[in-house]
Amino acid sequence: METLSFQFPAGQPAKGRALVGCVGSGDLEVMLEPGQAGTLAIEVITSVNGSAPRWQLLFERMFREQQLPALNIAIHDFGATPGVVRLRLEQGLEELSHG
C-alpha cells in the first residue's frame, strides 16, 4: 500500500460532500468534501506501489481544463485504470453540482 498526496489551485470551498464508487468491488472509492479556499488537496491510498507519476499526469490533465472548487478528495484505490479514476472523479463532481 502506498499513500500519495497532491495539491492543485482551486476556487472557493465546495458546498457539499459526495461519495462515489466502492473499493470492495475491486474498483476505487472517491470521497469529496469542502476544503480550504484556493486549494484542491488529494490523498490517494493505493494498492499499486510506484504509481505516483501516473496519478500526477491524470490529475494534471483533468484539472488544467477547469477550475474546481476547494476540495479535500480522498481516493481509496484497488488498482483501477485511469479511465475509471476519471469517471469516478467526474461522478463525484457532478454530484456536488446537484447538491
Side-chain angles (χ1 to χ4, degrees), residues 10-74:
Q12 292 301 308
K15 299 205 186 304
R17 291 174 164 73
L19 172 65
V20 293
C22 176
V23 74
S25 69
D27 194 11
L28 82 156
E29 174 183 75
V30 178
M31 295 179 285
L32 303 95
E33 59 185 16
Q36 182 179 356
T39 303
L40 173 65
I42 306 168
E43 181 178 88
V44 179
I45 299 172
T46 180
S47 63
V48 182
N49 292 330
S51 62
R54 177 177 63 100
W55 287 98
Q56 180 74 35
L57 289 172
L58 172 70
F59 295 143
E60 286 175 359
R61 280 194 305 268
M62 282 190 74
F63 305 143
R64 75 172 156 224
E65 299 168 5
Q66 58 187 329
Q67 180 165 13
L68 297 177
L71 291 163
N72 291 323
I73 300 176

Side-chain angles (χ1 to χ4, degrees), residues 74-93:
I75 299 175
H76 299 117
D77 172 49
F78 195 64
T81 65
V84 171
V85 173
R86 186 176 185 119
L87 174 68
R88 292 285 181 249
L89 283 168
E90 288 173 351
Q91 285 175 322
L93 292 168

